[in-house]
Amino acid sequence: MVIAQLRLTQFRNLASQRMDFHPRCNLIVGANGSGKTSILEALHYLSSGKSFRTTRVDNLIQKGAAEFILFAQLYQPGQEALMPLGFRRPAGVGQQTEIRLAGERVTRFSDVAKKIPLQVITPESFRLFFDGPAERRRFVELGMFHVEQSYHANWLKAQRLLKQRNALLRTAGDSLTYEQLAIWDKPLSEVADRLTAQRIDYVQKLEKRFSEQLARLTDLAVQLQFKRGWPEKLTLAEQLMQQFDMDRQRRYTATGPHRFELNLLVDGKPVEQVLSRVQLKLVLFALKIAQSALMAEFHPLASCAVLVDDLPSELDAENRKKVANLLKGLPLQLFVTGIMADSLDMFDRNDATLFHVEQGAILQ
């Protein structure tokens, strides 16, 4: 869905603001600390129930305020009526976020996430290269959540089986026998095979689009390498049987579908070991834009959103133009920030809405 309007109340340094968005391109400019990144953070929260800047939800509430409220109007192409979406989060430990979609109370963030497929690219997105396989697992799972309908159900089942297996490993301790543990291994192996087949198919689709996007930015050759999370020559059930003693000693399941990896390689070496900062940023844009393009193929036209924080940072004018052309070429709704308006002059102002943020105030 297209995000037609956003109202923020006591969110970060934005006391009470309303923004009416362009269906294609929205440019947000302002000095560092003015609040422009907070707008992207609010949009990200609408899609996922999470911030990309902090794990402490109370940090999102304006200092001294009792709660924050986010309210959006969503537009579905082909439908006249707008769909309201609201989030309310009181301050305090243990408080829950209240969500209402189309007037109905929602209890699962995933139900909202399906309505707003969203990709975020920030300076912190470099964690994808430097923070280990967990960051890349989250990247793959985001794309698969929006591309493969049955993936989320398989993922939830695998998580439930792993939780039960690990609970038995913790509670039974050294007295545990393999026969007691094996009751979980067959169903876990079956769902792991389904997940792996879906992930391999997804990564193949992603790599094709990634190579196309990267070629428009640079002549680098970067390969995507997928590892399923346990040795290729064994079924997961066989691997779990072989690692029983190790799992019993460690009190958790050491390998399995939860340990899959996606590596980015240049000549067989991890990109973060051989590429410069600027080259890594181009690879990052190509990868994120490729995933956005893939997500867009599985959703109605212009239903996906891409948030880009501080696009001009570390890129010269030529590379900024290349990245902008990639973004403009996708059927997506864009939200792009920069310090100065002229740093975003690669976007056509006649097909965009410009917002200026100054000390928590937003001028359209």
Side-chain angles (χ1 to χ4, degrees):
M1 290 187 171
V2 173
I3 306 170
Q5 183 189 103
L6 174 65
R7 299 178 187 176
L8 309 96
T9 303
Q10 297 169 337
F11 187 88
R12 291 286 193 182
N13 65 332
L14 304 169
S16 180
Q17 301 290 329
R18 167 179 165 171
M19 305 177 74
D20 295 298
F21 293 127
H22 193 283
R24 283 287 294 124
C25 185
N26 298 275
L27 309 176
I28 305 167
V29 300
N32 290 331
S34 62
K36 60 183 186 298
T37 302
S38 297
I39 297 169
L40 301 190
E41 190 177 18
L43 293 170
H44 187 270
Y45 198 92
L46 284 173
S47 174
S48 65
K50 296 178 182 178
S51 163
F52 57 79
R53 300 166 71 188
T54 180
T55 58
R56 294 176 58 86
V57 181
D58 276 0
N59 290 345
L60 305 179
I61 302 173
Q62 193 172 55
K63 187 176 181 179
E67 63 183 12
F68 76 71
I69 297 174
L70 300 176
F71 179 81
Q73 293 279 9
L74 309 179
Y75 168 70
Q76 175 70 54
Q79 297 183 6
E80 293 185 7
L82 296 176
M83 178 181 292
L85 170 63
F87 282 71
R88 175 180 171 271
R89 178 56 158 80
V93 177
Q95 295 291 337
Q96 300 297 314
T97 301
E98 179 183 346
I99 313 171
R100 291 193 175 273
L101 178 64
E104 300 292 329
R105 187 155 187 166
V106 175
T107 58
R108 297 183 302 182
F109 285 117
S110 60
D111 292 336
V112 177
K114 293 175 183 177
K115 300 291 184 182
I116 314 176
L118 186 146
Q119 184 76 256
V120 60
I121 308 172
T122 75
E124 289 75 30
S125 295
F126 278 102
R127 291 196 300 258
L128 192 71
F129 305 123
F130 295 105
D131 281 13
E135 281 293 322
R136 294 185 289 278
R137 279 195 283 268
R138 282 190 283 269
F139 170 77
V140 172
E141 287 168 350
L142 169 67
M144 295 204 64
F145 175 80
H146 290 292
V147 168
E148 177 54 61
Q149 289 186 347
S150 64
Y151 177 78
H152 190 56
N154 287 329
W155 181 84
L156 287 174
K157 184 175 182 179
Q159 293 297 309
R160 184 168 60 253
L161 291 167
L162 280 166
K163 183 177 181 180
Q164 292 166 329
R165 191 178 194 272
N166 288 336
L168 186 56
L169 284 165
R170 288 194 304 272
T171 56
D174 294 338
S175 64
L176 180 67
T177 66
Y178 176 71
E179 288 71 23
Q180 292 173 310
L181 193 61
I183 189 173
W184 304 114
D185 292 1
K186 182 179 179 181
L188 180 57
S189 185
E190 290 173 351
V191 73
D193 287 341
R194 292 196 295 272
L195 283 172
T196 298
Q198 290 176 319
R199 288 165 176 166
I200 290 173
D201 180 66
Y202 176 79
V203 171
Q204 288 174 344
K205 292 175 180 175
L206 178 65
E207 184 167 31
K208 179 178 181 297
R209 289 154 184 81
F210 169 63
S211 297
E212 293 169 352
Q213 302 293 351
L214 187 63
R216 296 171 185 169
L217 296 177
T218 176
D219 58 1
L220 289 170
V222 179
Q223 298 80 42
L224 302 186
Q225 179 195 65
F226 175 80
K227 293 184 177 181
R228 63 181 185 172
W230 69 95
E232 295 292 335
K233 295 181 180 181
L234 300 175
T235 67
L236 180 57
E238 291 170 339
Q239 173 62 24
L240 293 175
M241 181 173 63
Q242 289 190 14
Q243 70 184 43
F244 167 67
D245 288 336
M246 180 175 64
D247 285 351
R248 183 171 59 179
Q249 181 180 1
R250 294 184 176 182
R251 304 292 197 264
Y252 65 87
T253 306
T255 63
H258 57 303
R259 296 293 188 181
F260 81 91
E261 294 184 25
L262 178 70
N263 299 313
L264 288 86
L265 307 175
V266 173
D267 296 328
K269 298 179 181 179
V271 292
E272 64 272 19
Q273 294 182 10
V274 295
L275 298 185
S276 69
R277 180 84 174 183
V278 171
Q279 288 174 319
L280 284 174
K281 188 155 192 176
L282 295 177
V283 170
L284 176 66
F285 271 111
L287 188 64
K288 293 266 191 172
I289 292 172
Q291 186 177 73
S292 301
L294 192 52
M295 290 163 57
E297 292 177 22
F298 289 82
H299 288 272
L301 185 66
S303 64
C304 301
V306 176
L307 317 180
V308 184
D309 192 26
D310 199 11
L311 185 151
S313 174
E314 301 180 3
L315 295 178
D316 58 27
E318 181 180 356
N319 282 323
R320 289 201 300 267
K321 185 175 181 180
K322 288 179 180 179
V323 170
N325 287 338
L326 288 190
L327 291 168
K328 291 186 292 185
L330 298 177
L332 303 168
Q333 188 179 22
L334 303 177
F335 299 86
V336 184
T337 74
I339 295 177
M340 303 293 292
D342 57 7
S343 68
L344 300 177
D345 60 6
M346 71 289 292
F347 294 96
D348 183 1
R349 301 290 174 80
N350 295 319
D351 192 29
T353 297
L354 177 65
F355 299 90
H356 181 77
V357 187
E358 185 174 350
Q359 295 181 348
I362 304 171
L363 301 177
Q364 182 168 327

